[in-house]
Amino acid sequence: MAVTSESTTVWNGSLVAGSGSVRLDSSKLAEFNVNWRARSEGADATTTPEELLAAAHSSCFSMALSHALSGAGHEPESIQTTAAVTFEAGKGVLGSHLLVSARVPGLSEAEFQTFAEDAKQNCPISQALAGIPITIEAELA
């Protein structure tokens, strides 16, 4: 069964002077403010499309890694993944860097690296991001 996920953005004004808000369909309460200044210069209280992309990438990777580990008989206790998506005005999205720390009893560091690399290559969001470099730092906690 295919599942379609939705998000709605309402934008007002020009790119530089305007602003907008993003609402995730699954969360009727959460709304995220977006604007060009936050995207091109950074801001603490305003999200960016790249931050939302990072959320998608980190969660997808964590699920793919958990599934692969569990399928091989190595059920993880925990997986923490941070995705850092870099954007540069005029160039676009430059890459996504995954920083992973996991607790997986009975698994060697070398085995873990193999699973992490496979999840990096094969999670659906990584595949959707095939046009940008994806790097990873993964370690057992």
Side-chain angles (χ1 to χ4, degrees):
M1 174 176 87
V3 175
T4 300
S5 299
E6 295 183 358
S7 176
T8 301
T9 299
V10 176
W11 187 266
N12 299 298
S14 68
L15 174 63
V16 176
S19 64
S21 63
V22 178
R23 184 178 30 87
L24 306 180
D25 188 50
S26 65
S27 175
K28 306 298 183 212
L29 303 175
E31 195 167 277
F32 305 96
N33 294 324
V34 293
N35 63 44
W36 177 251
R37 183 170 183 226
R39 191 174 192 193
S40 61
E41 299 174 19
D44 289 336
T46 305
T47 194
T48 66
E50 291 73 31
E51 185 177 34
L52 296 170
L53 185 58
H57 200 193
S58 66
S59 60
C60 183
F61 172 87
S62 293
M63 287 187 238
L65 181 57
S66 176
H67 180 66
L69 288 165
S70 296
H74 303 288
E75 188 158 333
E77 289 179 2
S78 66
I79 298 170
Q80 178 177 313
T81 305
T82 300
V85 174
T86 302
F87 171 83
E88 185 176 335
K91 293 185 179 179
V93 175
L94 303 178
S96 181
H97 180 72
L98 300 168
L99 181 59
V100 186
S101 177
R103 286 194 194 115
V104 187
L107 194 66
S108 74
E109 188 68 41
E111 290 171 313
F112 177 67
Q113 292 300 322
T114 300
F115 281 103
E117 186 62 35
D118 182 69
K120 179 192 90 161
Q121 295 295 324
N122 294 305
C123 91
I125 298 297
S126 287
Q127 291 177 348
L129 297 175
I132 64 168
I134 299 172
T135 55
I136 189 169
E137 290 177 66
E139 67 179 15
L140 289 172

